[in-house]
Each structure stands twice: as structure tokens, then as C-alpha cells.
Amino acid sequence: MFYNPAARRSALPGFDWAMFWVAVALLGTGLVMVYSASIVVAEAKSANHQPAYYLVRHLMYLVLGAGAAYGLFQVPSSLWQKAAPYLFMGGTLLLIMVLLPFIGKEVNGSRRWIALGPLGNMQPSELMKWVTIIYAADYTVRKAAFMDDIGKGFLPMFLVMLGIGGLLLMEPDFGAFVVIIAIALGILFLGGLNWRLFVGLIALLAVGFVLMIWLSPYRLQRVVGFLDPWADPYGKGYQLSHSLIAFGRGEWFGVGLGDSVEKLFYLPEAYTDFLLAVIGEELGFVGVAVVIGLFAWLTWRALTIGWQAALMGRNFQALVAQGIGIWIGVQSFINMGVNVGLMPTKGLTLPFMSYGGSGIVANCIALALLFRIDYENRCLMRGKRQ
């Protein structure tokens, strides 16, 4: 039998169903675990003591995210490149608006949300992660010839990110700041930023992060609690110590779905930041390993789609896909690291799984753009119009 490249290309599916089902598995598991982790808190604190309060709202956000994703999938990726500056200006405006006392909503000392009535609260920093990917990819493509020039290639983007970082730290939202900086730097590096400049910048950022932690009492307390949570298990180390207890109780196969003890008002933010700890307690090491495997596969797939786009000369699409991979990989790694005690506590949710309207919607529309880029790659490989 002779090798027939044309026949092989024509047999290529037009849609990546494997990636679709991995995304569905993450979103579906998140829905189940959010219900399990929140049922007691919802019954105690929600109006009319509704045990399914957070389940219903999370499902509503999933429906909104899926609807937005379906609509955005229909939009050619080239249009997002044209809209990049306007999206970035809109995202920056939202970050400014959230700091205004009569617009932004303050919770636990942080002003990160804009109230949207019955739809709940919108968190602009979540949408800004998606916007940063599009803007940084467009900027890198436009400035490709100047990536070795500090003044023309790097400095403008650095100043822009410095401004965005300043707005995020005013909320304060240090976790979102870290993720957005990682996205921007990753895209610039993949787009051809001089590696010496990249290494020097990483060193400067490391010094900057150390100074921000040292000069901020509450961040310093988090680091101290992270280094030895058992030294103050009822104070600085409270969250981490109970998260570790949850993992310890889960052992290999967990105590059973719905049977977590730590979610009974012991572990704070059990259905948001520390959802993985509840997964570890109820589904055990095996359940956590499956979740990690799904995130690792999805991150790898995003980077692969970007590599395929780059081979076709679609540089903007390549950087967007890789930026989405960086976002998923970095944020999931940080959240998991916080849950198991590898990193200090930060206000970062587990993508696709934790409770949170803005986060779920932003994750869904990022996936839609990734699916669109992959769909266009497949159309080109099959010799068809997009």
C-alpha cells in the first residue's frame, strides 16, 4: 500500500473531540465537587437555607460560559487580532472601575468584584487574563522584528504590564498579578524575546516579589504560615493545616463522595480555592492524580495546537494557543501547590472546577478560542476554507 498524504489529510477529523471530552470531564467533575464541598455551607448561610444554592449558581455560570463559548467559536481568530487593542482598553477600564468605591465591591478587605445584580459578581481580573493573551500575542507579532531591541520591543510591553500590575496590586490581587505576568512573559519569550533579557527580567521579578512579600505584613504572614503551618495551626497556618489533613484522610481512594469532614466549616474556601483538598479527601490520591492528568493533557494539547499553527505561519494564533496553555498550566499548578503546601496561600481558583462565575466564563471563552484555532488548523491541513 502506497502512502497517500492527501487521503490522510482528508481523513483528519474536523473537530478535536478528545479535547472536548477532557474539558467536559473537568467542568463536570468541578460541578459535582463544588456541590459536595458547598452543600453544608450553603444550607447554613444561604437565604432559605438552600443546600443546592452554590450548585445552582455554578450551573448557571457553566451555561453562560458554554453559550459564550459557542458564540465565540464562530468568530474567525483573525478578528480577535484586530480587536486586541480595544479589548485591552476595555479590560483596563474594568480594572479601574473595580477600584471605585461606588462601583467595586469589597469582600474580606479586597476590592475585586463588580456587582451585576442577579448574575452575581464579575471579577475583571479573570477576564483580563484572557485579554492579556490576545493583546500580548498581537503585540509580539507586530514587534517581531524588534524582539532583540529593549527600547522598541520590550520596554513598551513592560510599561503596559507594569500599569496593569499596579492596578491588580491596588485591589489587591497578587495571584492574578502573578498569572498575568507569567502569561505576558511566556508569550514574549515564545515570540522571540532575547533570552538574556528574559533571564534578567526573571531575576528582577524574583527580587520584586521578595520585596512585595517582605514589605507587606499580610503576605509575609502567609509565607510564614506556609513554611511551618503546624507552628500556628489556629492562626497563620489554619488553612494549610486543614488542607493537609484533608489529603491525609483521603489516602489512596478517599473516604467517599460527599463524606468529607474538612468541608464541615473546618477548611475555609472549600468550594473555591481549596477544592482540590476536598477532592483529595473524598476521592483520594487516585482522584487527585486523574485531575492532575487532565490538566497536564489539556496544557500539552494547547501548546501542541500552537506549535501546529506556527508551522503554518499563523504566528498570532500560535502565540494565543500557547498563551492559553501557559494560563491553564500556571494557574492550575499554583492552586495545586497552595493546596498541598508547596506555595503560600493565594486567592487563585482551580481553572474549570472551582466555584466562581467570572473564572468559569473566562475559562470557557479561552477554550472556545483554542478550539477555533485548532479548527482552522485542521481546515488548512485538509485543504478546506475556514
Side-chain angles (χ1 to χ4, degrees):
M1 182 180 293
F2 294 100
Y3 173 68
N4 189 337
R8 185 176 180 181
R9 286 196 299 269
S10 63
L12 182 70
F15 189 79
D16 190 340
W17 287 104
M19 185 164 65
F20 174 80
W21 289 116
V22 167
V24 169
L26 286 171
L27 292 168
T29 303
L31 180 66
V32 172
M33 294 311 302
V34 162
Y35 180 49
S36 177
S38 68
I39 184 170
V40 176
V41 176
E43 191 170 11
K45 296 184 177 181
S46 65
N48 301 320
H49 305 286
Q50 296 294 323
Y53 175 80
Y54 291 107
L55 170 67
V56 172
R57 294 185 70 81
H58 192 73
L59 183 59
M60 178 187 71
Y61 297 140
L62 279 177
V63 172
L64 286 174
Y70 179 78
L72 294 181
F73 177 77
Q74 315 302 321
V75 180
S77 59
S78 58
L79 292 183
W80 293 113
Q81 184 173 9
K82 296 177 182 178
Y86 307 104
L87 289 172
F88 191 78
M89 286 189 288
T92 304
L93 181 61
L94 287 175
L95 289 181
I96 295 173
M97 289 174 62
V98 80
L99 296 174
L100 302 177
F102 53 90
I103 297 179
K105 181 179 179 180
E106 185 173 338
V107 179
N108 296 329
S110 298
R111 192 179 295 276
R112 304 177 185 176
W113 299 270
I114 296 176
L116 297 179
L119 293 178
N121 301 319
M122 179 183 68
Q123 190 171 354
S125 60
E126 290 293 338
L127 297 177
M128 196 64 197
K129 296 169 187 174
W130 176 70
V131 170
T132 298
I133 291 171
I134 295 175
Y135 179 78
D138 173 59
Y139 176 88
T140 304
V141 170
R142 287 188 288 107
K143 299 285 187 175
F146 304 107
M147 282 294 106
D148 284 332
D149 190 319
I150 296 179
K152 294 182 179 180
F154 169 73
L155 189 59
M157 186 66 175
F158 175 76
L159 293 175
V160 168
M161 287 297 105
L162 194 64
I164 295 301
L167 291 173
L168 290 170
L169 292 176
M170 289 172 67
E171 296 184 6
D173 194 344
F174 187 70
F177 169 71
V178 171
V179 173
I180 286 176
I181 292 299
I183 291 170
L185 281 178
I187 290 177
L188 284 173
F189 179 72
L190 292 170
L193 181 67
N194 184 283
W195 71 268
R196 293 183 181 86
L197 181 59
F198 180 76
V199 171
L201 184 61
I202 293 296
L204 286 175
L205 283 173
V207 173
F209 287 152
V210 170
L211 288 175
M212 281 190 289
I213 292 171
W214 185 262
L215 297 175
S216 175
Y218 87 93
R219 291 194 190 108
L220 186 59
Q221 287 180 359
R222 284 187 173 185
V223 172
V224 172
F226 145 73
L227 292 174
D228 187 5
W230 308 110
D232 188 10
Y234 298 105
K236 296 185 288 293
Y238 185 81
Q239 284 181 304
L240 180 54
S241 61
H242 280 280
S243 179
L244 294 176
I245 290 171
F247 282 111
R249 291 193 73 248
E251 297 184 349
W252 283 97
F253 299 102
V255 297
L257 184 62
D259 291 335
S260 166
V261 171
E262 285 300 317
K263 70 184 181 185
L264 305 179
F265 301 103
Y266 293 105
L267 179 62
E269 310 297 337
Y271 53 94
T272 55
D273 299 355
F274 284 88
L275 185 67
L276 189 72
V278 178
I279 294 174
E281 186 178 4
E282 296 190 349
L283 304 182
F285 173 81
V286 173
V288 172
V290 170
V291 170
I292 292 174
L294 291 174
F295 275 109
W297 190 91
L298 189 58
T299 301
W300 167 82
R301 187 70 188 109
L303 296 175
T304 302
I305 290 170
W307 173 72
Q308 291 171 338
L311 291 178
M312 299 176 191
R314 306 175 71 230
N315 295 328
F316 170 75
Q317 289 79 1
L319 292 174
V320 168
Q322 291 165 341
I324 293 171
I326 292 170
W327 175 11
I328 296 171
V330 169
Q331 183 160 333
S332 59
F333 178 81
I334 292 175
N335 178 272
M336 293 174 186
V338 167
N339 274 251
V340 300
L342 292 176
M343 294 183 176
T345 303
K346 296 179 180 65
L348 277 177
T349 56
L350 188 61
F352 306 106
M353 299 187 73
S354 293
Y355 175 80
S358 300
I360 289 294
V361 172
N363 294 154
C364 287
I365 60 179
L367 268 184
L369 187 50
L370 184 62
F371 274 112
R372 178 70 198 190
I373 293 169
D374 178 62
Y375 170 75
E376 292 174 356
N377 288 348
R378 290 167 182 263
C379 286
L380 290 172
M381 286 188 282
R382 298 170 70 188
K384 294 184 178 181
R385 296 183 63 184
Q386 300 173 16

